[in-house]
Amino acid sequence: MLSLHSATPPKRRAGPPRIGLAIAGGGPVGAMYELGALRALDEACDGLDLTRLDCYVGVSSGAFFAAGLANRMDTAELCRIFISGDSADVSFRPETFLQPAFGEYFRRAAAFPGLATRLARDLWSGRSDSRWSDVLNRVGSLVPTGLFDNNAVERFLQDIFNRAGRSNDFRTISRPLFVIGVDLDSGEAVRFGDKGWDDIPISRAVQASSALPGLYPPVEMLDKAGNTRHFVDGALRRTMHASVVLERDVDLMLGINPLVPFNPSEDSATGSGHHRDNDRRISESGLPGVLSQTLRTMLQSRMQVGLARYPQQYPQIDQMVFEPNAADRDLFYTNIFSFSSRRRISQLAYRNTLDDLRNRRAQIEPVLARHGIRLREDVIANRPRSILAHLPKPMRCTETTARLTHALDDIEHGLQRRRMV
């Protein structure tokens, strides 16, 4: 599903067009959907280089892909890492993201004896106004703040961004990158990579941005004043934070949001299939289904508010946001925290995005043409196409060859931009 706003009137820039990318969160399944959509755009859009955009913003799981693209990791390499598993550079193991947070468990358990003693004393002396509510409130402080250890996630990212010519430092990458986290104590959204927060390692910022409460513990950091602050998932404030890109004087904003509410009636309304009887009764799928639909609805409602407001705030910027189809039951009925279905979900996103480009071609082509981009007929053609079928063979390179390749790419890209002026 594509949301498209064509600039009225378009900007007239003397130099090459400026393009920005905003990627929302959505857990492991949402991340795999984003990867499929990114790969489809990369293959279908001739003249669009996703590793050389003018601004990147990532939220939660989308923060890794934003950071990877800003670090010259193209979509083919990302697919090899997370889908096919044949990357010559990075070994991805899903269990890295799902290691129990034993340190958090032990820390909470260690507080139990003291808490039990104080609680028993207060209840015996009658100090509590409501004994049962007081018991529940105090016992709640023993519940771990996260099930899984996100320090392992940070170490995985740190290793990736510290080799093969990449950088784990916001200040040394060649393109502006912003990763969004939320201060748990104040509710303030923080742009890692912006002034005052650009000394935080990229891996640490991504760890904070993806610390979904209940799944991962808050990430502790020191600010410039030496104060301890705790950060959680950046999606708590906004779904995609597209305004960060729109404020950077871009001509075209591309966005990807992987979570929308499930609506099987969309499927039957378009004649593309038939809904199952239990599709209309999400409550029958139990608490996971109810929570998933609730989360998707909340995120989508905020997205719609932003997408309705941005054309008025930034009328001279072309805006394209790609989302799943509301009737994609495969996406809805897949566990949002599962990595086992990553190939199927990525293929679904890949197909959906190519379908959007083909079906909305009449509206899309003039917009993309303004930015030197054209759709590839052979890619968007209405025939089966696999996300993995056209990946180039993986190549292993040393730190020296990686830096040399980047330097040569910079020279070639600089010459191309000069010709566009």
Side-chain angles (χ1 to χ4, degrees):
M1 182 170 62
L2 170 65
S3 296
L4 173 64
H5 163 70
S6 182
T8 54
K11 286 184 178 180
R12 296 187 179 277
R13 189 183 297 276
R18 292 174 54 83
I19 303 174
L21 174 67
I23 314 178
V29 167
M32 294 304 100
Y33 191 94
E34 290 164 344
L35 179 53
L38 288 168
R39 183 57 186 165
L41 289 172
D42 199 9
E43 285 194 64
C45 297
D46 189 20
L48 176 67
D49 187 345
L50 292 175
T51 67
R52 291 185 176 279
L53 303 183
D54 296 278
C55 178
Y56 299 86
V57 60
V59 183
S60 191
S61 57
F64 174 76
F65 294 126
L69 291 169
N71 254 301
R72 309 284 188 88
M73 298 176 72
D74 62 20
T75 60
E77 176 63 10
L78 293 172
C79 286
R80 285 192 292 263
I81 293 172
F82 291 104
I83 304 178
S84 63
D86 62 349
S87 170
D89 183 39
V90 179
S91 176
F92 169 67
R93 295 183 300 114
E95 55 268 27
T96 300
F97 291 73
L98 299 174
Q99 295 182 13
F102 290 121
E104 174 70 3
Y105 301 165
F106 294 149
R107 186 172 71 86
R108 297 287 171 174
F112 177 75
L115 176 66
T117 301
R118 292 192 301 272
L119 183 59
R121 184 179 62 247
D122 290 346
L123 290 173
W124 181 261
S125 63
R127 294 179 185 177
S128 173
D129 294 333
S130 176
R131 294 188 177 186
W132 285 113
S133 64
D134 195 51
V135 169
L136 292 174
N137 186 52
R138 296 198 190 191
V139 171
S141 66
L142 298 176
V143 178
T145 56
L147 294 176
F148 303 113
D149 181 12
N150 50 7
N151 287 314
V153 176
E154 196 273 337
R155 290 191 295 270
F156 171 75
L157 299 176
Q158 186 181 84
D159 177 60
I160 291 176
F161 295 145
N162 276 321
R163 55 192 171 95
R166 308 180 194 112
S167 173
N168 200 30
D169 190 331
F170 284 101
R171 297 164 295 186
T172 60
I173 55 177
S174 59
R175 295 289 187 272
L177 167 66
F178 302 99
V179 172
I180 311 299
V182 171
D183 186 311
L184 182 61
D185 295 309
S186 68
E188 171 194 2
V190 171
R191 300 179 183 181
F192 296 108
D194 209 349
K195 186 176 181 180
W197 291 102
D198 55 355
D199 59 335
I200 301 296
I202 294 174
S203 58
R204 189 73 167 164
V206 175
Q207 177 194 12
S209 181
S210 57
L212 181 64
L215 187 68
Y216 294 113
V219 176
E220 184 176 300
M221 297 186 196
L222 293 178
D223 62 17
K224 292 290 186 182
N227 301 315
T228 299
R229 300 175 69 172
H230 295 87
F231 292 95
V232 293
D233 197 312
L236 295 186
R237 283 298 300 266
R238 295 181 184 176
T239 301
M240 196 167 63
H241 291 264
S243 59
V244 177
V245 171
L246 295 169
E247 292 168 1
R248 300 288 298 184
D249 189 34
V250 298
D251 304 294
L252 171 64
M253 189 276 290
L254 299 174
I256 301 176
N257 172 44
L259 295 183
V260 298
F262 178 53
N263 185 358
S265 64
E266 293 288 331
D267 192 27
S268 56
T270 57
S272 58
H274 301 284
H275 62 78
R276 301 167 184 168
D277 290 339
N278 64 349
D279 279 346
R280 290 187 178 275
R281 298 186 293 275
I282 291 175
S283 62
E284 293 186 3
S285 61
L287 183 61
V290 173
L291 291 179
S292 177
Q293 183 75 336
T294 301
L295 175 63
R296 293 165 185 269
T297 302
M298 291 173 59
L299 294 176
Q300 175 69 1
S301 64
R302 293 191 302 180
M303 274 287 299
Q304 290 176 338
V305 171
L307 293 178
R309 185 177 67 246
Y310 293 149
Q312 283 72 46
Q313 289 183 301
Y314 309 96
Q316 291 184 294
I317 300 177
D318 290 315
Q319 302 167 40
M320 300 174 63
V321 177
F322 294 87
E323 296 179 309
N325 298 321
D328 281 336
R329 60 174 55 86
D330 282 348
L331 187 61
F332 179 78
Y333 285 109
T334 299
N335 182 349
I336 193 173
F337 303 121
S338 170
F339 284 99
S340 61
S341 303
R342 57 187 183 272
R343 181 174 298 199
R344 177 170 55 83
I345 296 302
S346 296
Q347 177 63 34
L348 172 65
Y350 181 78
R351 184 197 68 202
N352 283 352
T353 306
L354 292 181
D355 287 347
D356 283 339
L357 294 174
R358 180 178 62 255
N359 296 334
R360 302 281 301 275
R361 182 173 185 175
Q363 294 89 18
I364 293 172
E365 279 192 317
V367 174
L368 294 179
R370 289 200 286 266
H371 311 289
I373 303 169
R374 68 174 184 85
L375 294 177
R376 293 181 53 188
E377 183 69 41
D378 59 318
V379 176
I380 66 171
N382 189 15
R383 59 173 178 264
R385 185 180 178 92
S386 168
I387 188 174
L388 298 179
H390 303 279
L391 294 181
K393 292 183 179 180
M395 295 179 60
R396 183 179 296 277
C397 60
T398 65
E399 184 74 19
T400 301
T401 56
R403 292 186 181 278
L404 177 60
T405 299
H406 288 175
L408 293 174
D409 286 344
D410 287 339
I411 294 173
E412 180 181 3
H413 184 68
L415 293 174
Q416 290 176 347
R417 291 180 72 89
R418 283 191 177 186
R419 286 195 291 267
M420 295 178 66
V421 176

